[in-house]
Amino acid sequence: KVCKNTMMKRAFEGTDLAGLDEHLEGPSALAISKDDATAPARILCKFAFDFIHCFQMFEIYLTPIIITLLSVLVISALYLLFGFRHYVSSVSRQVAADNERSLNYADSGSTTDAAGYPPVSVIVYSEDDASNLEILLPQILEQDYPAPFEVIVVNDGAISSTKDVIARLEQRYYNLYMTFTPQESRSLSRKKLAVTLGIKAAKYNVLVHTTGNCQIPS
């Protein structure tokens, strides 16, 4: 399907694909699949091999530019494949940890009914709060709450320093996630848009809202 770059950028606003905006300059080819995350990688690999086969049939010489193009296609395909494997591994760890937390709660012998402690989604709105998040998030994530909970950081403007902090903490906490609003977003209220994205990303019905510049005294 052929689309103008401007239309693609507008379609990507407020979605996980917003980060592709910077690549939508001049002729661009995107391979996207809703059902099979490995399909784009297979399509790019097939295109690269068919491309080489055409050169062999018509005796076209491989110039440095064409070699570079083919290299980019192959690297992109490999990146998609390995990225999908990382995603599957991350989801598997999350499911295993949720199951373990549920089992521990069931075996704890608590006299309080499980319905008294509903699963919770904590949504943290962050606007360039990387330094404080490094302190705040562990304080939230290490709370002694007897039911499953998750923490979703909404990175307003996709600030790189905030991304780095979340990436480090995700290695320690299985229930920490991040979404973001693109810097180019034209929403009348950026915070409202960010909170809306956080709510959509939440998997539990009970929501707790806070901001990245808060502190927990105890």
Side-chain angles (χ1 to χ4, degrees):
K1 191 172 184 178
V2 179
C3 300
K4 292 184 177 180
N5 286 334
T6 303
M7 297 300 295
M8 295 286 285
K9 290 179 180 179
R10 290 181 180 176
F12 288 169
E13 284 185 3
T15 70
D16 292 339
L17 300 176
L20 296 174
D21 286 1
E22 61 187 41
H23 302 291
L24 297 177
E25 299 294 339
S28 306
L30 297 177
I32 302 173
S33 173
K34 295 181 180 178
D35 302 319
D36 185 356
T38 63
R42 293 199 302 270
I43 292 172
L44 291 174
C45 282
K46 185 177 184 302
F47 176 77
F49 288 123
D50 290 346
F51 205 45
I52 295 174
H53 181 64
C54 288
F55 289 146
Q56 294 173 344
M57 287 179 58
F58 296 100
E59 298 183 354
I60 301 176
Y61 294 100
L62 293 176
T63 65
I65 294 178
I66 295 175
I67 292 174
T68 302
L69 174 61
L70 293 175
S71 300
V72 170
L73 287 172
V74 172
I75 292 172
S76 299
L78 293 175
Y79 176 80
L80 286 172
L81 285 173
F82 284 106
F84 177 68
R85 289 181 61 186
H86 175 73
Y87 170 75
V88 171
S89 175
S90 175
V91 170
S92 299
R93 289 197 304 269
Q94 176 193 341
V95 171
D98 283 345
N99 290 338
E100 182 180 359
R101 179 183 287 269
S102 298
L103 290 173
N104 290 340
Y105 176 73
D107 297 337
S108 64
S110 174
T111 57
T112 305
D113 188 78
Y117 298 96
V120 174
S121 294
V122 181
I123 300 173
V124 182
Y125 170 76
S126 173
E127 188 179 14
D128 198 9
D129 300 310
S131 58
N132 194 62
L133 284 175
E134 201 142 19
I135 301 172
L136 173 66
L137 291 178
Q139 292 176 333
I140 297 176
L141 289 158
E142 293 174 7
Q143 293 289 313
D144 185 16
Y145 187 69
F149 72 97
E150 63 178 356
V151 176
I152 302 170
V153 178
V154 186
N155 184 6
D156 190 3
I159 306 299
S160 59
S161 57
T162 301
K163 289 181 182 179
D164 294 339
V165 170
I166 302 302
R168 289 196 300 272
L169 293 176
E170 280 179 333
Q171 303 300 316
R172 295 166 49 192
Y173 303 102
Y174 72 92
N175 53 340
L176 173 62
Y177 310 96
M178 186 189 74
T179 185
F180 67 93
T181 58
Q183 186 64 45
E184 300 79 10
S185 176
R186 299 180 179 85
S187 175
L188 294 178
S189 172
R190 292 184 59 87
K191 184 174 182 179
K192 183 178 180 180
L193 173 62
V195 172
T196 300
L197 292 175
I199 292 173
K200 288 184 177 181
K203 65 179 180 180
Y204 299 130
N205 293 328
V206 178
L207 306 178
V208 176
H209 294 272
T210 186
T211 57
N213 58 358
C214 288
Q215 294 183 355
I216 301 178
S218 63

